Amino acid sequence: MSQENGKRRLALIASKGTLDWAYPPFILASAAASMDWEVGVFFTFYGLPLLKKKLGAAVSPVGNPAMPMKMPFGPKAFQNINWPMPNLLMSNLPGFETVATSLMKQTFKKKGVATIQELREACVEMNVRLIGCQMTMDVFGFKKEDFIPQAEIGGAATFLEYAADADVSLFI
């Protein structure tokens, strides 16, 4: 437990910014915060855009070939089919990423899953520390103004100082 306030502490590293990889850090952070845990998330490399004012996370099927495609519409039997999509098709078919992103968003909505925006807002409301990686900002040319005002900017040392007292630390 954190030595400062006696609360359990969760330290997450979010390193991926695709739609499918944006969910785990925000779900875990909001769940832990709702359990009255102290939570800090360090957004680095491709996870850093998740702190931008306008979220643009999309599905990258090429980056996750194990992902089955489910259809969010049609008869139940049609929706239950896992549509294996060969990488060759996913990487060469124009517009596939847009279609896959739309299908995933529809499926999540239909299942009552909050959007990434909603989960991030919940984290902000519950005072989750959202730490943007300074080095990643410098490397990719981001500015503090690109991010939501609640984002804190810090380096690895900032996060490590926080994570040193964590009960649970996860790299996502």
Side-chain angles (χ1 to χ4, degrees), residues 14 72 75 88 98 100 112 123 146:
L88 184 62
T98 301
C123 288
D146 295 333

Side-chain angles (χ1 to χ4, degrees), residues 126-145:
M126 292 186 282
N127 298 315
V128 170
R129 282 182 73 185
L130 304 173
I131 307 166
C133 176
Q134 179 69 61
M135 184 203 74
T136 303
M137 285 178 60
D138 296 342
V139 169
F140 291 109
F142 290 112
K143 296 182 177 100
K144 170 95 171 106
E145 305 80 55

Side-chain angles (χ1 to χ4, degrees), residues 72-127:
F73 50 82
K76 192 76 170 170
F78 181 72
Q79 292 180 39
N80 289 333
I81 296 173
N82 280 330
W83 298 89
M85 298 290 175
N87 278 348
L88 184 62
L89 173 67
M90 292 188 288
S91 61
N92 291 313
L93 188 63
F96 187 87
E97 184 175 302
T98 301
V99 171
T101 298
S102 175
L103 290 174
M104 180 175 272
K105 286 182 176 179
Q106 287 179 43
T107 300
F108 279 33
K109 183 176 181 179
K110 185 175 178 182
K111 299 290 184 180
V113 177
T115 65
I116 296 300
Q117 178 76 30
E118 292 167 336
L119 289 168
R120 186 174 76 179
E121 289 171 9
C123 288
V124 167
E125 290 173 11
M126 292 186 282
N127 298 315

Side-chain angles (χ1 to χ4, degrees), residues 10 12 23-35 37-41 43 119 122-123 126 128-130 172:
L10 173 64
L12 298 172
Y23 272 96
F26 286 121
I27 288 172
L28 290 169
S30 60
S34 70
M35 296 165 57
W37 288 32
E38 186 180 352
V39 182
V41 185
F43 294 86
L119 289 168
C123 288
M126 292 186 282
V128 170
R129 282 182 73 185
L130 304 173
I172 300 172

